[in-house]
């Protein structure tokens, strides 16, 4: 991400006006505004694969899947950003809203320029969302999904998934997201599976 201005601080209202007029997306954090770079082909296809699988599974369940260009209020008045994918079932997060607030699931597809930011900075802030139960970091270069889940105790558990048989189970939504859906049509093979022998 690239900072838009080094000295100017924006109000939330100025930031919203900037987003209305700009073709680029920007992250807002405590008055500072940062341009968010777009992903390459593999990144985009991975996002679309996640969206398609989730939409098909959630059809008719009253939940919505949003991707990339939908703004999330992580901390009201302090932090606004655009997750690669998020799922919300909350009535307040209706399609006519400009800003979503109650995601159950957030997915970030990793890229070299944003990986450490997604893994540490965003994660520490996303987990402050009371509604969030699952945070997925999806590699677009290797068959790997890092699954963070909020346990009933409130502690976040971590499960790496790297097999063709693996899936992210989301009991709050009553669905599973198979890794085979995430990596369909991508030239990526699982490393943990044994090669088949005739």
């Amino acid at each position: 991400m690239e900072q838009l201005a080094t000295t100017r601080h924006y109000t939330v209202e100025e930031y919203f006006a900037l987003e209305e007029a700009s073709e680029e997306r920007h992250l807002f954090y405590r008055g500072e505004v940062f341009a968010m770079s777009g992903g390459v082909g593999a990144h985009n296809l991975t996002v679309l694969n996640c969206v398609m699988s989730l939409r098909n599974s959630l059809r008719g369940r009253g939940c919505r899947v949003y991707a990339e260009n939908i703004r999330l209020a992580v901390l009201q008045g302090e932090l606004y950003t655009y997750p690669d994918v998020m799922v919300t079932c909350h009535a307040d997060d209706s399609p006519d809203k400009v800003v979503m607030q109650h995601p159950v699931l957030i997915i970030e597809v990793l890229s070299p320029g944003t990986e450490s930011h997604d893994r540490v900075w965003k994660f520490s802030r996303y987990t402050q969302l009371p509604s969030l139960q699952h945070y997925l970091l999806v590699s677009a270069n290797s068959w790997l999904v890092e699954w963070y889940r909020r346990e009933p105790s409130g502690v976040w558990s971590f499960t790496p998934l790297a097999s063709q048989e693996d899936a992210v189970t989301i009991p709050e939504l009553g669905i599973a997201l198979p890794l085979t859906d995430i990596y369909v049509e991508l030239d990526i093979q699982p490393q943990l599976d044994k090669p088949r022998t005739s």
Side-chain angles (χ1 to χ4, degrees):
M1 287 187 306
E2 182 180 336
Q3 191 170 7
L4 192 63
T6 53
T7 54
R8 176 172 179 188
H9 275 61
Y10 291 74
T11 66
V12 172
E13 291 73 21
E14 288 172 332
Y15 164 67
F16 287 165
L18 172 69
E19 293 302 88
E20 286 295 318
S22 176
E23 293 183 4
E24 285 186 302
R25 298 172 300 146
H26 300 89
L27 179 146
F28 174 93
Y29 182 61
R30 294 182 176 174
E32 295 183 274
V33 174
F34 302 85
M36 298 180 68
S37 57
V40 295
H43 181 282
N44 184 256
L45 186 54
T46 306
V47 169
L48 291 175
N49 285 344
C50 291
V51 169
M52 289 177 65
S53 180
L54 290 167
R55 277 183 58 86
N56 288 336
S57 298
L58 289 169
R59 198 174 304 278
R61 294 175 181 257
C63 298
R64 292 157 300 282
V65 184
Y66 295 108
E68 292 186 308
N69 293 317
I70 303 300
R71 194 180 316 138
L72 172 65
V74 183
L75 297 169
Q76 283 288 355
E78 287 193 27
L79 174 57
Y80 298 88
T81 189
Y82 297 80
D84 286 330
V85 181
M86 61 179 157
V87 176
T88 174
C89 306
H90 200 283
D92 289 346
D93 290 342
S94 57
D96 60 336
K97 295 293 179 67
V98 199
V99 181
M100 303 302 152
Q101 302 181 61
H102 309 282
V104 175
L105 164 70
I106 291 177
I107 300 174
E108 294 287 3
V109 177
L110 299 176
S111 57
T114 63
E115 180 171 351
S116 61
H117 185 73
D118 292 338
R119 192 181 300 283
V120 180
W121 193 88
K122 279 188 179 178
F123 176 65
S124 67
R125 284 153 181 86
Y126 282 158
T127 54
Q128 297 178 50
L129 288 161
S131 63
L132 188 67
Q133 301 299 314
H134 302 269
Y135 181 51
L136 306 183
L137 294 174
V138 176
S139 172
N141 301 313
S142 60
W143 192 286
L144 176 64
V145 173
E146 298 170 62
W147 176 18
Y148 294 88
R149 176 180 177 182
R150 192 193 303 265
E151 299 297 340
S153 64
V155 174
W156 285 83
S157 63
F158 170 70
T159 306
L161 303 174
S163 168
Q164 187 168 357
E165 289 74 33
D166 283 335
V168 178
T169 305
I170 308 170
E172 295 82 0
L173 303 175
I175 64 169
L177 175 60
L179 268 65
T180 50
D181 283 6
I182 294 174
Y183 291 110
V184 66
E185 296 184 359
L186 287 164
D187 190 20
I188 298 172
Q189 300 299 321
Q191 301 297 311
L192 291 186
D193 296 328
K194 296 178 180 178
R196 294 179 179 175
T197 57
S198 53

